[in-house]
Structures are given as structure tokens and as C-alpha cells.
Amino acid sequence: MHRTKIALIGGGQIGSVLALMATQKELGNIVIVDRPESENNVKGKALDIMTLRPHDGIDVELIGTSNYDDIDDADVVIVTAGIPRKPNMSRDDLLGINIEIIKGVAEEVKVHAPNAFVVVATNPVDAMSYTFQKVSGFPKSRVVGLSGALDTGRFQAFIAMETGLSANDVSCMVMGGHGPTMIPLVRTATVAGIPISELLTQERIDSIMKRTREAGTEIVHLLGNGSAYFSSAASIMEMVEAYLGDKKRVISSSMLCEGEYGVNGYYIGVPCVIGTNGVERIIEADLTDDEKAMFQTNFEAVKATTDNTGL
Ligand code: APR
């Protein structure tokens, strides 16, 4: 039997939590790749999780490495290689360093795992997903960025916290590039089908919108030495499970638009159907004039950063 092979490129905070989550869900064998100077560190993490398996009755295998031969024929590649934000840095400030890392990673993945479904989490994610797709030459359906899954989870969590109701019953979406002008679609947010406008005052809704947009920054300031990683890993898992399980989940994600929402040739957060063929399609929902204006502002920011990649 073929066991799914999952390659984690970057075994830092997000990569480590992903390794644990993917093991506990028995998604497949896991290879954690990091820089040569961090090889022992990821070997240690892999061994630590290998020895956790008996407690959970799990049989998947993990290795840590800096050798890309070890990811040969991986089915799924998750890229978190790069540096995270420090307090007072924007995601865009990471571009100069992370672009070189992503270019190198994309060259390796192209050679070693040419058929993989790739999720890019490295920030600034819209520009990094764009870079990965350009350098690898992979079809766009197999290169997707983590954005809306994480942002939507935050929006859902804050609605649940404000209403005192279960996050399980909250349905909503955040669109747009993963930055401070992302668009929490308040109009579509419900709790068990009930519009949040019937449950919360406009003032509370406005503050949820603001907090959703700034949640990453709020966490960066609280942590003091890194950015969010538990929720990032959980959001990536949602995307990967949609792919492996052919679930046809609708997950807002950074995806190359070719005309959708008036965007041509850029990665930006849009509702994506994720199933066995990767991102199978983008759903083009009708936006109000206000939402269109917010999306346009957001796109200008994504475009400026992406144009800075020079690709
Ligand atoms: N190849 C492989 N791994 C690399 C490379 C490289 N060229 N360069 C850096 N790394 C590794 C680092 O050694 C580190 O282990 O990537 C890992 C990044 O981990 P963290 O610094 O802990 O960052 P993390 O919180 O996991 O975030 C990773 O995802 O959400 C984004 O903004 C975040 O860009 C950041 C990325």
C-alpha cells in the first residue's frame, strides 16, 4: 500500500506543530527538511515525535534532514521555510529575505517532488506563492497559499467569543491578500444561519473586523519572538485534508487569479474549492460595491509587493 508522503520544508514553529498534527491524524509519513545548520534540530524533533507514537498507537514514520533527496516523490509539500515577523515588522518587510529562500525551495521541489500539492505559508504569502509557482512552473492548481483559512478561523473565533456561542456554528469568510487590508465579509457571517447583524451591534462587529485584520500582529506582539503557529498549522492541515480526502471544501486561499475578481496574473485570497485535483476552481461570488472597493485597495497592496519580486 502506498502511504502518503508529506514533506515539511521548514521545521521551525509551524513546521513542528504540523509534524505533530499530521502524525496524530496519521496523514502519512513525514519528512522535515531544514537548513544544514538546523539539521540536528529537525532530526531531534522527528525522533521526539517517533517516540510519541506508541502513546497514540500510530505507525507513520518521520525523519529530519537537510537533504532534498529525502522528499523524493512527496505527495504533499508544505513550505514554512523563511523568517517570521518580529514586533514592528509587517509581513511585507520579510520579502527581501524570504524570496531568496522560496526560490531555492521551489527549485528543489520541482526536481524532487514534481507531482506534489504545495501549500506555501511563508510570508508575505501572496507574493511567496506567486514566486513558488513561477519558479517551479507547477500548474496553479497545485500551488496554493495559506491566507483565508487562517484569517477566517480568526474571524470565526472572534465572532464566537463576542456572541458567547460555539465557534462550530459560525460560518464566514475572509477574502483578499494576507495583510492589514484583508476583507472579513461581514455580510456573509452567520451563527447557525443567523446573520451576525442580528446578534451583535455594529460597534461590536466593527471591532471584530479590526481585530481579525490585526490578529496576526496582536499575536506577534504578545509572543515577542515569532508569529502565530498553532492556528497557522491547523489551517494548513484543513487545506491538506481537503486535498487528500477530495473533500471539495470551500477555503479562502491565496490563488493565482486569471480574470477572477478582476485580477489577472497575481496570487490573492479568493474562495477556492480544494479536492483531489488541488485547487479545482475559484468561486466568483458577487460582491457589493463596498466590498469591491475594499478588495481593490487590498489588491493594490498585494500587487505592489508581488511586483517587488521582480518575477
Ligand atoms: N530551507 C529550509 N528551511 C529553512 C530555510 C531554507 N532555505 N531557511 C530557513 N529555514 C527554516 C528555519 O531554519 C526555521 O526552522 O525555516 C524555519 C522557520 O521557522 P520559524 O522561524 O519558527 O518560523 P515559523 O513561525 O514556523 O513561520 C514560518 O511562515 O507564517 C509564516 O511569517 C511566517 O514566514 C514565516 C513562516
Side-chain angles (χ1 to χ4, degrees), residues 9-15 33-35 38 68 80-85 94 98 101 105 121-123 227-229 232:
I9 316 295
Q13 300 275 47
I14 302 176
V33 184
D34 212 298
R35 300 173 300 158
S38 304
Y68 276 91
T80 62
I83 58 161
R85 284 198 280 170
L94 305 173
N98 284 350
I101 294 173
V105 171
T122 305
N123 275 311
S227 52
Y229 52 101
S232 311

Short mmCIF file of all heavy atoms in Angstrom, two decimals, residues 9-15 33-35 38 68 80-85 94 98 101 105 121-123 227-229 232, ligand 1:
data_model
loop_
_atom_site.label_atom_id
_atom_site.label_comp_id
_atom_site.label_asym_id
_atom_site.label_seq_id
_atom_site.Cartn_x
_atom_site.Cartn_y
_atom_site.Cartn_z
N ILE A 9 8.86 21.65 4.49
CA ILE A 9 10.09 22.40 4.22
C ILE A 9 10.11 23.56 5.21
O ILE A 9 9.34 24.53 5.07
CB ILE A 9 10.14 22.93 2.76
CG1 ILE A 9 9.68 21.85 1.77
CG2 ILE A 9 11.56 23.44 2.47
CD1 ILE A 9 10.56 20.64 1.68
N GLY A 10 10.99 23.45 6.19
CA GLY A 10 10.98 24.37 7.32
C GLY A 10 10.45 23.62 8.54
O GLY A 10 9.29 23.18 8.54
N GLY A 11 11.32 23.43 9.50
CA GLY A 11 10.92 22.69 10.70
C GLY A 11 11.00 23.57 11.93
O GLY A 11 11.46 23.17 13.00
N GLY A 12 10.55 24.81 11.79
CA GLY A 12 10.53 25.76 12.91
C GLY A 12 9.22 25.60 13.68
O GLY A 12 8.75 24.48 13.90
N GLN A 13 8.65 26.73 14.07
CA GLN A 13 7.45 26.68 14.91
C GLN A 13 6.27 26.02 14.18
O GLN A 13 5.65 25.10 14.70
CB GLN A 13 7.04 28.11 15.32
CG GLN A 13 8.09 28.86 16.10
CD GLN A 13 8.03 28.56 17.58
OE1 GLN A 13 7.95 27.41 18.00
NE2 GLN A 13 8.08 29.60 18.39
N ILE A 14 5.95 26.53 12.98
CA ILE A 14 4.79 25.97 12.28
C ILE A 14 5.10 24.54 11.84
O ILE A 14 4.28 23.63 12.00
CB ILE A 14 4.38 26.83 11.06
CG1 ILE A 14 4.05 28.26 11.49
CG2 ILE A 14 3.17 26.22 10.36
CD1 ILE A 14 3.73 29.20 10.33
N GLY A 15 6.30 24.34 11.29
CA GLY A 15 6.67 23.00 10.81
C GLY A 15 6.58 21.96 11.92
O GLY A 15 6.13 20.83 11.70
N VAL A 33 12.36 19.00 6.47
CA VAL A 33 13.60 19.49 5.85
C VAL A 33 13.92 20.87 6.42
O VAL A 33 13.05 21.74 6.49
CB VAL A 33 13.43 19.64 4.32
CG1 VAL A 33 14.76 20.06 3.68
CG2 VAL A 33 12.91 18.36 3.70
N ASP A 34 15.17 21.06 6.79
CA ASP A 34 15.59 22.40 7.22
C ASP A 34 16.99 22.67 6.71
O ASP A 34 17.58 21.84 6.01
CB ASP A 34 15.47 22.54 8.75
CG ASP A 34 15.12 23.97 9.17
OD1 ASP A 34 15.92 24.89 8.88
OD2 ASP A 34 14.05 24.17 9.77
N ARG A 35 17.55 23.79 7.03
CA ARG A 35 18.90 24.15 6.58
C ARG A 35 19.92 23.22 7.24
O ARG A 35 19.67 22.71 8.34
CB ARG A 35 19.23 25.60 7.00
CG ARG A 35 18.27 26.63 6.42
CD ARG A 35 18.53 28.00 7.01
NE ARG A 35 18.36 27.98 8.46
CZ ARG A 35 18.89 28.85 9.30
NH1 ARG A 35 19.63 29.84 8.84
NH2 ARG A 35 18.68 28.77 10.59
N SER A 38 20.48 23.51 10.82
CA SER A 38 19.37 23.11 11.70
C SER A 38 19.02 21.64 11.56
O SER A 38 18.00 21.18 12.08
CB SER A 38 18.12 23.95 11.38
OG SER A 38 18.40 25.32 11.49
N TYR A 68 17.44 17.15 0.19
CA TYR A 68 16.19 17.10 -0.55
C TYR A 68 15.91 15.76 -1.21
O TYR A 68 14.78 15.48 -1.60
CB TYR A 68 16.13 18.25 -1.58
CG TYR A 68 15.66 19.55 -0.96
CD1 TYR A 68 16.55 20.46 -0.42
CD2 TYR A 68 14.30 19.84 -0.89
CE1 TYR A 68 16.11 21.64 0.17
CE2 TYR A 68 13.84 21.01 -0.31
CZ TYR A 68 14.76 21.91 0.21
OH TYR A 68 14.30 23.07 0.80
N THR A 80 7.18 26.28 4.96
CA THR A 80 7.20 27.32 6.00
C THR A 80 8.63 27.84 6.17
O THR A 80 8.92 28.55 7.13
CB THR A 80 6.70 26.78 7.36
OG1 THR A 80 7.58 25.73 7.79
CG2 THR A 80 5.29 26.23 7.28
N ALA A 81 9.51 27.48 5.26
CA ALA A 81 10.90 27.94 5.35
C ALA A 81 10.94 29.46 5.22
O ALA A 81 10.23 30.03 4.40
CB ALA A 81 11.72 27.31 4.23
N GLY A 82 11.78 30.06 6.04
CA GLY A 82 11.87 31.53 5.99
C GLY A 82 11.84 32.10 7.37
O GLY A 82 11.84 31.37 8.36
N ILE A 83 11.87 33.42 7.43
CA ILE A 83 11.83 34.04 8.75
C ILE A 83 10.43 34.59 9.04
O ILE A 83 9.72 35.02 8.13
CB ILE A 83 12.89 35.16 8.90
CG1 ILE A 83 12.68 36.26 7.84
CG2 ILE A 83 14.29 34.61 8.86
CD1 ILE A 83 13.36 37.56 8.20
N PRO A 84 10.04 34.55 10.30
CA PRO A 84 8.75 35.14 10.69
C PRO A 84 8.94 36.60 11.10
O PRO A 84 10.06 37.10 11.19
CB PRO A 84 8.34 34.29 11.89
CG PRO A 84 9.62 33.88 12.53
CD PRO A 84 10.67 33.84 11.44
N ARG A 85 7.83 37.26 11.36
CA ARG A 85 7.87 38.68 11.76
C ARG A 85 8.37 38.86 13.18
O ARG A 85 8.15 38.00 14.04
CB ARG A 85 6.44 39.25 11.74
CG ARG A 85 5.93 39.53 10.38
CD ARG A 85 4.74 40.47 10.48
NE ARG A 85 3.49 39.80 10.83
CZ ARG A 85 2.39 40.45 11.15
NH1 ARG A 85 2.39 41.77 11.20
NH2 ARG A 85 1.29 39.80 11.42
N LEU A 94 9.33 41.08 5.19
CA LEU A 94 10.05 39.81 5.10
C LEU A 94 10.45 39.47 3.67
O LEU A 94 11.22 38.53 3.43
CB LEU A 94 9.18 38.66 5.64
CG LEU A 94 8.63 38.82 7.06
CD1 LEU A 94 7.64 37.69 7.37
CD2 LEU A 94 9.76 38.81 8.06
N ASN A 98 12.92 36.34 2.47
CA ASN A 98 12.18 35.11 2.19
C ASN A 98 12.11 34.78 0.71
O ASN A 98 12.02 33.62 0.33
CB ASN A 98 10.78 35.18 2.81
CG ASN A 98 10.84 34.97 4.32
OD1 ASN A 98 11.89 34.59 4.85
ND2 ASN A 98 9.74 35.20 5.01
N ILE A 101 14.89 32.47 -0.21
CA ILE A 101 14.66 31.13 0.36
C ILE A 101 13.62 30.38 -0.47
O ILE A 101 13.82 29.21 -0.84
CB ILE A 101 14.21 31.26 1.84
CG1 ILE A 101 15.37 31.84 2.67
CG2 ILE A 101 13.74 29.93 2.40
CD1 ILE A 101 15.02 32.19 4.11
N VAL A 105 13.86 26.81 -2.52
CA VAL A 105 12.98 25.70 -2.17
C VAL A 105 12.21 25.24 -3.41
O VAL A 105 12.08 24.04 -3.69
CB VAL A 105 12.01 26.11 -1.03
CG1 VAL A 105 10.94 25.05 -0.82
CG2 VAL A 105 12.76 26.39 0.26
N ALA A 121 3.25 28.77 3.13
CA ALA A 121 2.81 29.56 4.29
C ALA A 121 3.75 30.73 4.57
O ALA A 121 3.41 31.66 5.30
CB ALA A 121 2.72 28.68 5.53
N THR A 122 4.93 30.69 3.98
CA THR A 122 5.93 31.74 4.23
C THR A 122 5.39 33.11 3.80
O THR A 122 4.80 33.24 2.71
CB THR A 122 7.22 31.41 3.44
OG1 THR A 122 7.65 30.10 3.82
CG2 THR A 122 8.31 32.42 3.73
N ASN A 123 5.61 34.10 4.63
CA ASN A 123 5.12 35.46 4.34
C ASN A 123 6.16 36.33 3.64
O ASN A 123 7.36 36.08 3.80
CB ASN A 123 4.68 36.13 5.64
CG ASN A 123 3.25 35.76 5.98
OD1 ASN A 123 2.37 35.85 5.13
ND2 ASN A 123 3.03 35.32 7.20
N SER A 227 5.83 34.53 15.21
CA SER A 227 4.44 34.80 14.85
C SER A 227 3.60 33.55 15.10
O SER A 227 4.13 32.50 15.48
CB SER A 227 4.35 35.29 13.40
OG SER A 227 5.01 34.43 12.51
N ALA A 228 2.30 33.69 14.86
CA ALA A 228 1.35 32.62 15.19
C ALA A 228 1.77 31.30 14.58
O ALA A 228 2.24 31.27 13.44
CB ALA A 228 -0.04 33.01 14.69
N TYR A 229 1.62 30.23 15.32
CA TYR A 229 1.97 28.94 14.73
C TYR A 229 0.98 27.81 14.98
O TYR A 229 0.75 27.00 14.10
CB TYR A 229 3.39 28.50 15.12
CG TYR A 229 3.71 28.51 16.60
CD1 TYR A 229 3.69 27.34 17.34
CD2 TYR A 229 4.05 29.70 17.24
CE1 TYR A 229 4.02 27.34 18.69
CE2 TYR A 229 4.36 29.71 18.59
CZ TYR A 229 4.35 28.53 19.31
OH TYR A 229 4.67 28.55 20.64
N SER A 232 -1.86 28.60 12.58
CA SER A 232 -1.36 28.51 11.20
C SER A 232 -1.29 27.04 10.80
O SER A 232 -1.74 26.66 9.71
CB SER A 232 0.02 29.14 11.07
OG SER A 232 0.04 30.41 11.66
N1 APR B 1 15.44 25.75 3.74
C1 APR B 1 14.77 25.09 4.71
N2 APR B 1 14.42 25.66 5.86
C2 APR B 1 14.76 26.93 6.06
C3 APR B 1 15.46 27.69 5.10
C4 APR B 1 15.80 27.04 3.90
N3 APR B 1 16.46 27.68 2.93
N4 APR B 1 15.64 28.95 5.59
C5 APR B 1 15.09 28.97 6.80
N5 APR B 1 14.56 27.76 7.10
C6 APR B 1 13.91 27.32 8.33
C7 APR B 1 14.49 27.90 9.61
O1 APR B 1 15.71 27.27 9.96
C8 APR B 1 13.36 27.61 10.59
O2 APR B 1 13.49 26.34 11.20
O3 APR B 1 12.56 27.73 8.34
C9 APR B 1 12.10 27.61 9.71
C10 APR B 1 11.15 28.76 10.00
O4 APR B 1 10.66 28.55 11.26
P1 APR B 1 10.35 29.73 12.29
O5 APR B 1 11.45 30.72 12.25
O6 APR B 1 10.00 29.11 13.59
O7 APR B 1 9.06 30.43 11.64
P2 APR B 1 7.52 29.94 11.67
O8 APR B 1 6.83 30.55 12.83
O9 APR B 1 7.46 28.46 11.50
O10 APR B 1 6.99 30.68 10.36
C11 APR B 1 7.48 30.34 9.10
O11 APR B 1 5.53 31.08 7.94
O12 APR B 1 3.62 32.21 8.65
C12 APR B 1 4.87 32.34 8.04
O13 APR B 1 5.54 34.58 8.62
C13 APR B 1 5.80 33.22 8.85
O14 APR B 1 7.44 33.46 7.12
C14 APR B 1 7.14 32.78 8.34
C15 APR B 1 6.93 31.28 8.04
#
